Amino acid sequence: MKILITGGAGYLGSVITGKLLGDGHQVTILDKLQFKQVSLLPYCFAPNFNFIYGDVRHYELLKKLVIENDVIIPLAAVVGFPACDDDPILAFDLNYKQIENIVSIIDSESLLNKKILYPNTNSGYGVGEDGIYCTEESPLNPISTYGRTKCRAENILLKNTDAIVFRFATVFGVSPRMRTDLLVNEFVYKAMTDKYITVFEANFKRNFLHIQDVANVFSFMIDNYDKHKGNVFNVGLSDANLSKKELLEKIQNHIPNFAVSYNDFYEDPDKRNYIVSNDKIESTGWKPIWDLDMGIQELIKAYKMIIPRMGGEFRNGFPLGYANKT
């Protein structure tokens, strides 16, 4: 397949690109490299890899690439509630308008054979009911600009195309374009550096998923697109509907020497609190490979390389001190 990934130099795209190239596909990345990242350099050797420096808001460029490719994976987005609240106009343009433009291009050019795989977030469930699993039929209740723009984009795709939509759990794990602000990644990072974590609303729950399994599910659904097109799938670890407190207890099995303080005087601005059923995606024959323990061990290895670059020191393989020199 000829595959277009917008925003493919980001946290997810840097891993998905490697997986799809390994599958034998031709992969074209459109990215403006907002963070000056060089995460795709390891793929430049591959004859099936192509990079285009550009902005997804450039309609004619996007149109050209949509026409040329068989599969569209629109990853370009402003991700997370703080970034979207900081620049809601950019969030609208990338998270929703880009998708509206792709739908318009497909309609105007009668490109009925295009395969679209859209990454939404299960943060669209907002605040769930205690003990009730959110399924793909559960009503969406996005409580942030991020959730609202992503769910609006999902809606226009499902109404006008046969796209496959993934509602991803909170992703964790190592990527060439690393993010330390995602919940598991952040907790492991702070456990290894600050040695102290303050947690608000410790009993709020959410689901989790390793980034390698994000790449795996894209690969699986490209191969099985015709069988599952037009469907929405929750994608996460069925044994990892965990509260923040439960997540920290799991991390303490791997990093025992850090302190946790639970603070009930402040609210977490990210109010998500829900548990998710992944039965539908598992009924297709796909299941995640990576569990939380594997991901935590991977993160510890990675941070032993990342932390010294940021001013930390190690002795006998463990952090000794840390100075923030970003």
Side-chain angles (χ1 to χ4, degrees):
M1 291 285 182
K2 295 175 67 176
I3 300 173
L4 169 66
I5 307 178
T6 71
Y11 176 69
L12 296 183
S14 300
V15 175
I16 294 169
T17 297
K19 171 61 177 173
L20 298 183
L21 287 171
D23 290 345
H25 298 295
Q26 298 180 47
V27 180
T28 295
I29 304 298
L30 172 62
D31 201 300
K32 68 174 183 176
L33 303 178
Q34 180 180 355
F35 302 102
K36 298 179 173 58
Q37 66 268 39
V38 292
S39 52
L40 299 175
L41 285 180
Y43 308 128
C44 291
F45 75 94
N48 282 344
F49 172 75
N50 183 35
F51 177 81
I52 297 174
Y53 178 81
D55 195 319
V56 73
R57 292 172 292 179
H58 183 176
Y59 184 86
E60 291 303 320
L61 175 59
L62 181 63
K63 178 179 178 179
K64 176 178 180 293
L65 293 173
V66 168
I67 291 172
E68 290 176 351
N69 286 274
D70 307 309
V71 179
I72 316 300
I73 301 176
L75 296 183
V78 180
V79 178
F81 79 92
C84 289
D85 287 352
D86 287 344
D87 195 340
I89 294 175
L90 181 63
F92 174 83
D93 286 345
L94 296 188
N95 297 6
Y96 174 73
K97 187 64 178 179
Q98 171 197 188
I99 307 306
E100 184 181 64
N101 287 341
I102 290 171
V103 170
S104 173
I105 292 164
I106 289 173
D107 180 61
S108 63
E109 300 295 320
S110 299
L111 305 174
L112 302 179
N113 60 337
K114 298 297 176 181
K115 296 175 171 63
I116 305 174
L117 296 103
Y118 178 66
N120 198 357
T121 165
N122 61 25
S123 67
Y125 293 124
V127 178
E129 298 182 53
D130 188 34
I132 305 298
Y133 283 82
C134 294
T135 71
E136 291 79 0
E137 286 71 43
S138 299
L140 294 173
N141 181 34
I143 56 178
S144 66
T145 301
Y146 176 55
R148 287 190 293 270
T149 53
K150 294 291 285 184
C151 289
R152 185 176 174 184
E154 173 187 305
N155 187 52
I156 194 174
L157 280 171
L158 293 175
K159 282 186 175 181
N160 297 279
T161 73
D162 62 7
I164 292 174
V165 173
F166 301 121
R167 293 178 184 164
F168 283 120
T170 298
V171 182
F172 65 96
V174 174
S175 165
R177 164 68 177 117
M178 191 58 190
R179 286 182 59 187
T180 59
D181 59 313
L182 298 166
L183 195 62
V184 179
N185 295 5
E186 180 184 20
F187 279 179
V188 173
Y189 185 79
K190 287 184 175 180
M192 293 180 67
T193 54
D194 298 343
K195 295 291 186 179
Y196 187 87
I197 299 175
T198 299
V199 180
F200 307 132
E201 294 172 320
N203 292 317
F204 275 23
K205 290 194 172 187
R206 65 174 76 175
N207 200 212
F208 298 94
L209 179 70
H210 194 276
I211 191 169
Q212 292 293 338
D213 284 319
V214 173
N216 290 337
V217 79
F218 274 103
S219 173
F220 177 86
M221 283 300 178
I222 288 172
D223 290 343
N224 295 276
Y225 190 89
D226 290 338
K227 187 176 181 180
H228 300 295
K229 61 186 178 182
N231 272 287
V232 178
F233 295 98
N234 293 334
V235 188
L237 286 163
S238 292
D239 62 354
N241 281 293
L242 301 178
S243 68
K244 297 175 192 175
K245 183 177 180 180
E246 291 168 332
L247 173 60
L248 284 166
E249 290 170 351
K250 186 170 281 288
I251 293 171
Q252 285 177 316
N253 292 332
H254 301 271
I255 311 172
N257 299 316
F258 73 94
V260 179
S261 171
Y262 297 105
N263 190 323
D264 294 328
F265 294 100
Y266 296 96
E267 292 185 351
D268 187 339
D270 189 355
K271 299 291 293 182
R272 287 182 283 166
N273 181 26
Y274 47 78
I275 56 177
V276 177
S277 169
N278 300 296
D279 289 349
K280 184 177 178 181
I281 187 71
E282 292 183 2
S283 72
T284 69
W286 183 88
K287 288 189 177 181
I289 297 170
W290 286 69
D291 61 25
L292 264 170
D293 290 303
M294 294 164 65
I296 292 167
Q297 291 166 2
E298 176 202 36
L299 285 164
I300 291 169
K301 293 177 187 178
Y303 286 147
K304 286 180 180 180
M305 292 181 276
I306 293 170
I307 290 169
R309 291 182 57 199
M310 302 180 69
E313 299 178 27
F314 280 83
R315 179 176 295 167
N316 298 324
F318 293 93
L320 175 65
Y322 177 73
N324 188 5
K325 298 180 181 178
T326 55

